[in-house]
Amino acid sequence: MNCKCKCECCKINILPFIIVIAILIITIVIVIVTGIPTEQKSILSTIAVPGDNTAVGPTVIKFSKNEIEIGPAMTHTVGSENININESGIYQISYQVYGERSSTGTLNFNCILLVNGQPLDDTQNETPILKDTFTNRITYSSTVILKLNAGDTLSIGIFTIEEITYPRARIDIEKID
């Protein structure tokens, strides 16, 4: 008789434990089925190809190809120099600009990011000054993190006194916060 009582007592003591485990399993299943809300990534990659930027010397880079477009935070109209910022936030911006000169001579150009057409002085970067005996082409790249506002436009400005063209360029932007 004691044996039977002990088993019934054990059942009563285990019952709350089983209920807690069942609630946890149901909660996990609901989260997996409905999914955990995640913030959508926003990434934009635009590319300039030969023929996009035929100006010699100072210019603002135009991009004719959108390679990656994910999310609503930024947009670019093909053939335009401006990237439109649609959401305020923190953005990581990486870019490359390839410059070349058709003749030998000094090769030097400077890149700067423009927000709403205004240069951001703290983003100005220069290529090394190459003289006659060096190659007549160079690729410049940089990465910055900027706080941008909805309605801003972003572009890459180039300034130089040499006769340089920019047949290729790329900008990759990700909204990180």
Side-chain angles (χ1 to χ4, degrees):
M1 193 163 182
N2 286 340
C3 210
K4 186 176 181 184
C5 179
K6 286 182 182 177
C7 289
E8 287 178 20
C9 291
C10 289
K11 288 180 186 176
I12 293 171
N13 289 336
I14 292 176
L15 188 58
F17 180 72
I18 292 172
I19 291 172
V20 168
I21 295 296
I23 290 171
L24 285 173
I25 290 172
I26 290 169
T27 303
I28 290 170
V29 168
I30 289 171
V31 168
I32 289 172
V33 169
T34 60
I36 298 172
T38 57
E39 187 176 325
Q40 181 182 4
K41 284 203 173 277
S42 284
I43 299 171
L44 177 67
S45 293
T46 62
I47 297 172
V49 297
D52 287 350
N53 297 289
T54 56
V56 176
T59 193
V60 177
I61 300 295
K62 292 183 175 103
F63 299 94
S64 67
K65 184 176 170 187
N66 291 345
E67 187 169 82
I68 300 171
E69 296 178 273
I70 300 172
M74 64 224 120
T75 54
H76 172 256
T77 301
V78 170
S80 166
E81 58 197 32
N82 291 324
I83 293 165
N84 301 305
I85 304 302
N86 303 323
E87 296 177 3
S88 296
I90 307 296
Y91 290 80
Q92 179 172 310
I93 303 154
S94 298
Y95 65 88
Q96 298 175 332
V97 177
Y98 171 77
E100 70 180 11
R101 185 171 176 166
S102 59
S103 61
T104 58
T106 303
L107 178 72
N108 172 250
F109 67 92
N110 306 289
C111 298
I112 194 164
L113 291 177
L114 307 168
V115 174
N116 302 322
Q118 298 300 309
L120 298 178
D121 291 334
D122 59 344
T123 67
Q124 179 182 336
N125 292 293
E126 298 180 19
T127 60
I129 298 174
L130 302 176
K131 295 290 185 178
D132 296 329
T133 58
F134 288 94
T135 182
N136 60 349
R137 60 191 175 278
I138 192 167
T139 299
Y140 184 80
S141 63
S142 183
T143 299
V144 299
I145 296 176
L146 295 175
K147 183 177 182 182
L148 299 170
N149 298 310
D152 284 347
T153 59
L154 178 72
S155 53
I156 301 174
I158 307 293
F159 54 100
T160 183
I161 59 171
E162 279 75 45
E163 295 179 1
I164 299 171
T165 59
Y166 312 97
R168 292 190 307 271
R170 176 184 186 104
I171 187 166
D172 301 297
I173 307 169
E174 181 178 1
K175 183 176 184 227
I176 58 176
D177 187 31

